[in-house]
Amino acid sequence: MARSPVEGPEQLFHFTPAARAAFPRTRRGAEPGEKLLITGIAGGLGRLIARRLGDYFRVAGVDRSPWEGFPPNVSMHVVDLRKRKFEDVFRIERPDALVHHAFVRHFRSDPRVRHEVNVLGTKRVLEYAIAYGVKRVVVLSSSYVYGALPDNPFYMNEDFPLNVSRTYPEVRDLAEVDTLATAFLWQHPEVTTAILRPVNTLGYYTNSAIRRYLSQRWVPTIMGFNPMWQFIHEEDVAEAVALALQSGTHGVFNVAGPGAVPLKVAIRETGGTAVPLPEPVARAVFGRLFRLGLYHTPPGAIDFLKYPCVLDGEAFQRAAGFTPLFSLEDTFASVRH
Amino acid sequence: MVLAPIVSLSRAVTDALPRSIHALQHEIDERMLRIPTRLNAYGYDPWGFHPDSARRSMLITALLYHYWFRVETHGIDRIPRGRALLISNHAGQIALDAAMIVVACFFEAEPPRVVRGMGEYWLPTVPWLNELMVRTGSVVGTRKNAIDLLKNEEAVISFPEGIRGMNKLIWERYQLQEFGQGFMRLALETDTPIVPIAVVGSEEQAIAIANARPLAHLLGMPAFPVTITFPWLGLLGLLPFPVKYHIYFGQPMRFTGNPSDEDEVIGEKVEQVKARIATMLADGLAARRSLFW
């Protein structure tokens, strides 16, 4: 049966346009020419944010790995944020605004390093932000903090509990980062802070876990399960960061993309082939492979292949006027292999 | 697709049966094009409803509707356009009354409506069943899901008797059990009209004589009905009697008030709905000529 899709951008709620006036904007957005520090600038998304904001801000960046051929308008520092020298970056640059994006999201390194960089690193970055008078902060958290549980509603909003560690303890540091940042938001109302939780991010530059998962030729799935997944293009995430800074948005926000599709549609559209495995087999095989270091994702991730973790992006839409520019088709096309 | 077994089964059935089945599938397809639900470029709505999958399972329930239960629907035009909360009595050991209301709203209403069910919390953990539930338009019955669906002008069905009604024994038929209050709070919060529904027939489709609670507990099921055919005839014993169904849709009821009022205040409004359904059931029973025609 053929049915042509409805024209126009996909919207979750098409009954009334969102009332903009419901969110009074008392905070001022960033002025052109402010100094912006991006941590984790050499990562795919960091580079995109730097390029997206390079004309508006004076951009400084810090990363522990160098960025070959960084643009001339970026002042680049190669330093590990666990090192004492990291504070010098704040001392020299004196940033007005900060985008915190320096996280280890893969499992190839020592879990202790992951914890130090993510949790202790975030704590230090936020402490320096206060000590050196940063006026606005954007922290890029992720949608995974909510966890994938069978009784998740579709379209969880921001006050939903961060349940991920219940079934996926390996990424509890991401929930801790989010909690640290939220505590900072309440403790320092003088700093305009936006904590963004973007959904599964795909794109040419981003090397996310979900990108690696979908770029396999044969993609393991769980037999009898096909949850809805949301995707967003990396350019739209960069756009969300820019909007948060420029509109002076303060709060915790889900950043939802153009829509949701079943996991197997996403696998098909990115050029892979789904291989359904019975759950006990998948748990046993991937658990062992992961412990031996032969597979990149811990078995806790299996719940994300079974249950939905789908976010309601309405609050950010209203507060910052954000709408994704890239459709689902564009997003899948950007990583098709 | 995961729904392959259903697809192949229904294909086998359609090929073996006379032309009227093709006509029925054709009618389903034609009506599916006219549902007011918006779909994305891949044919899914925001809650995972997928008409291309639903049309196949709809054929099976439509066959039950037309030929097994020979359902007669009364007052379907009382369902308002836009958001609506359908509230019905619940009985019969297996939730075929829900399926028959869904088919009625799809086949008899203009434009056809896809009624959104609120599934039990354990359903998403069952392989395949979880996907079937979502693709045919149902979701887990959380408050947020219900609110979002209603705000999106969908028709949501709820059985406030829940399991208490479904697993009644045969001598308790047509006695409404205690109503939960969640649906009323939801209606008040989203300003949704409530459509009372009385299903006559479903309460006699399975003659349950006991509920083996310890066994249910052991199997992790909400109830273990013992009927005059189940479990004695095995799974075949679950097949309901071909009683005739009458589904009565009542005038929409509108309520106003604070959704977080105390239980007594909400309970009063709930009782009004319950009383209306009880009256409709009594009228339906009085008008019925026989159990089977």
Side-chain angles (χ1 to χ4, degrees):
Chain A
M1 185 187 66
R3 178 177 163 134
S4 59
V6 179
E7 292 297 317
E10 288 162 31
Q11 270 179 282
L12 174 52
F13 298 117
H14 51 79
F15 52 103
T16 42
R20 285 274 163 82
F23 279 77
R25 262 189 222 153
T26 47
R27 290 164 184 273
R28 288 181 47 224
E31 306 287 337
E34 284 186 8
K35 175 66 73 75
L36 169 71
L37 177 65
I38 303 174
T39 65
I41 196 169
L45 197 54
R47 294 179 188 201
L48 273 176
I49 296 169
R51 289 218 174 85
R52 170 69 183 75
L53 291 168
D55 297 332
Y56 195 87
F57 292 93
R58 291 175 294 133
V59 176
V62 55
D63 203 299
R64 60 176 172 164
S65 40
W67 177 1
E68 300 296 338
F70 59 88
N73 58 356
V74 171
S75 128
M76 179 75 197
H77 302 261
V78 180
V79 55
D80 193 317
L81 85 174
R82 293 171 294 166
K83 296 279 155 51
R84 281 187 73 89
K85 268 188 70 188
F86 176 58
E87 194 173 355
D88 291 346
V89 178
F90 277 85
R91 226 172 260 138
I92 297 162
E93 299 289 352
R94 297 271 163 187
D96 303 296
L98 169 77
V99 173
H100 182 38
H101 169 56
F103 303 111
V104 180
R105 293 223 167 121
H106 57 76
F107 301 92
R108 291 185 294 272
S109 57
D110 188 348
R112 213 175 57 202
V113 173
R114 204 183 132 108
H115 184 266
E116 272 177 19
V117 172
N118 291 354
V119 180
L120 305 182
T122 301
K123 195 160 162 44
R124 284 187 82 187
V125 167
L126 295 177
E127 277 166 10
Y128 294 152
I130 290 303
Y132 291 91
V134 172
K135 287 178 292 192
R136 52 192 92 254
V137 172
V138 173
V139 178
L140 267 169
S141 180
S142 84
S143 61
Y144 307 129
V145 293
Y146 294 106
L149 299 168
D151 49 355
N152 273 354
F154 282 101
Y155 306 104
M156 293 183 277
N157 44 26
E158 289 80 357
D159 44 19
F160 205 77
L162 309 185
N163 283 332
V164 71
S165 49
R166 215 156 97 188
T167 53
Y168 192 0
E170 291 87 351
V171 298
R172 64 181 170 272
D173 52 348
L174 297 184
E176 273 177 62
V177 166
D178 195 289
T179 311
L180 269 177
T182 312
F184 174 86
L185 182 145
W186 290 110
Q187 281 162 5
H188 298 284
E190 74 278 9
V191 182
T192 304
T193 306
I195 298 158
L196 304 184
R197 296 173 181 160
V199 298
N200 299 310
T201 306
L202 293 179
Y204 181 79
Y205 296 99
T206 308
N207 184 20
S208 60
I210 196 63
R211 164 89 192 268
R212 288 192 296 275
Y213 172 72
L214 287 176
S215 64
Q216 302 169 103
R217 177 72 192 84
W218 307 101
V219 189
T221 61
I222 304 299
M223 205 177 264
F225 292 91
N226 193 9
M228 297 296 277
W229 277 30
Q230 282 168 308
F231 296 92
I232 189 168
H233 194 273
E234 54 187 6
E235 297 271 7
D236 275 329
V237 178
E239 184 65 23
V241 172
L243 268 176
L245 287 170
Q246 288 168 350
S247 65
T249 309
H250 184 74
V252 187
F253 297 103
N254 295 333
V255 182
V261 289
L263 173 59
K264 283 176 191 167
V265 171
I267 292 171
R268 188 189 72 211
E269 292 301 311
T270 51
T273 307
V275 184
L277 301 171
E279 192 185 345
V281 174
R283 288 212 184 264
V285 170
F286 289 110
R288 286 198 176 84
L289 288 180
F290 178 69
R291 248 173 284 134
L292 295 171
L294 298 173
Y295 196 72
H296 44 69
T297 312
I302 282 176
D303 276 27
F304 280 87
L305 307 182
K306 290 175 67 187
Y307 305 125
C309 173
V310 184
L311 310 192
D312 185 344
E314 204 196 352
F316 191 57
Q317 223 168 1
R318 284 206 221 172
F322 171 76
T323 31
L325 296 170
F326 288 79
S327 68
L328 280 171
E329 286 108 318
D330 302 334
T331 308
F332 292 138
S334 70
V335 294
R336 191 166 293 147
H337 53 91
Chain B
M1 280 285 293
V2 171
L3 301 173
I6 292 168
V7 172
S8 52
L9 179 70
S10 59
R11 250 198 215 118
V13 170
T14 32
D15 291 346
L17 283 167
R19 285 193 74 84
S20 66
I21 306 290
H22 290 284
L24 196 59
Q25 182 69 71
H26 187 76
E27 192 185 348
I28 291 171
D29 293 353
E30 184 270 326
R31 298 189 80 86
M32 208 56 106
L33 292 171
R34 294 193 289 125
I35 53 172
T37 304
R38 276 176 63 120
L39 307 174
N40 68 19
Y42 298 98
Y44 295 85
D45 96 331
W47 289 272
F49 168 64
H50 187 225
D52 275 356
S53 309
R55 60 189 281 269
R56 287 295 183 181
S57 52
M58 185 64 90
L59 180 63
I60 295 171
T61 40
L63 286 171
L64 279 177
Y65 180 91
H66 287 293
Y67 300 111
W68 191 263
F69 292 123
R70 306 164 317 281
V71 182
E72 258 179 49
T73 298
H74 311 265
I76 190 81
D77 49 333
R78 289 175 172 161
I79 300 179
R81 279 176 182 273
R83 66 184 75 174
L85 197 50
L86 312 183
I87 301 296
S88 164
N89 60 321
H90 202 23
Q93 311 306 326
I94 39 179
L96 286 170
D97 44 2
M100 291 308 109
I101 294 171
V102 168
V103 178
C105 294
F106 183 76
F107 266 90
E108 322 272 352
E110 268 321 314
R113 295 293 291 266
V114 175
V115 174
R116 318 299 296 251
M118 297 274 111
E120 298 276 348
Y121 279 53
W122 51 268
L123 278 172
T125 63
V126 185
W128 292 290
L129 197 59
N130 69 87
E131 199 184 353
L132 183 68
M133 167 177 110
V134 168
R135 295 292 168 269
T136 53
S138 295
V139 288
V140 193
T142 66
R143 192 169 155 273
K144 176 78 164 71
N145 275 341
I147 289 175
D148 284 351
L149 281 165
L150 289 174
K151 280 188 177 170
N152 215 30
E153 309 299 343
E154 298 281 350
V156 173
I157 190 164
S158 164
F159 298 94
E161 290 175 276
I163 223 82
R164 293 183 295 275
M166 193 160 88
N167 296 110
K168 274 182 300 197
L169 305 182
I170 188 65
W171 38 87
E172 297 167 320
R173 64 189 183 278
Y174 301 111
Q175 295 169 19
L176 291 177
Q177 305 295 302
E178 189 199 333
F179 271 37
Q181 298 194 336
F183 80 93
M184 183 55 72
R185 294 184 192 278
L186 198 62
L188 293 175
E189 188 170 341
T190 54
D191 190 23
T192 304
I194 289 175
V195 181
I197 300 174
V199 182
V200 174
S202 62
E203 310 241 355
E204 288 116 342
Q205 73 184 19
I207 301 186
I209 47 177
N211 182 4
R213 277 179 217 281
L215 196 54
H217 190 74
L218 200 69
L219 296 173
M221 301 195 318
F224 191 91
V226 177
T227 70
I228 58 169
T229 53
F230 182 81
W232 326 115
L233 301 180
L235 279 179
L236 195 69
L238 278 174
L239 195 71
F241 289 113
V243 291
K244 187 172 176 70
Y245 265 47
H246 293 268
I247 304 178
Y248 294 91
F249 289 84
Q251 283 296 352
M253 305 169 79
R254 284 188 175 274
F255 293 91
T256 49
N258 180 356
S260 36
D261 259 333
E262 285 110 65
D263 282 1
E264 294 87 72
V265 184
I266 300 290
E268 220 169 86
K269 299 186 168 90
V270 170
E271 282 308 311
Q272 289 180 42
V273 178
K274 189 176 169 184
R276 175 73 69 85
I277 294 175
T279 316
M280 288 162 58
L281 274 175
D283 293 349
L285 281 171
R288 180 166 75 166
R289 282 167 296 157
S290 145
L291 198 54
F292 292 103
W293 56 84

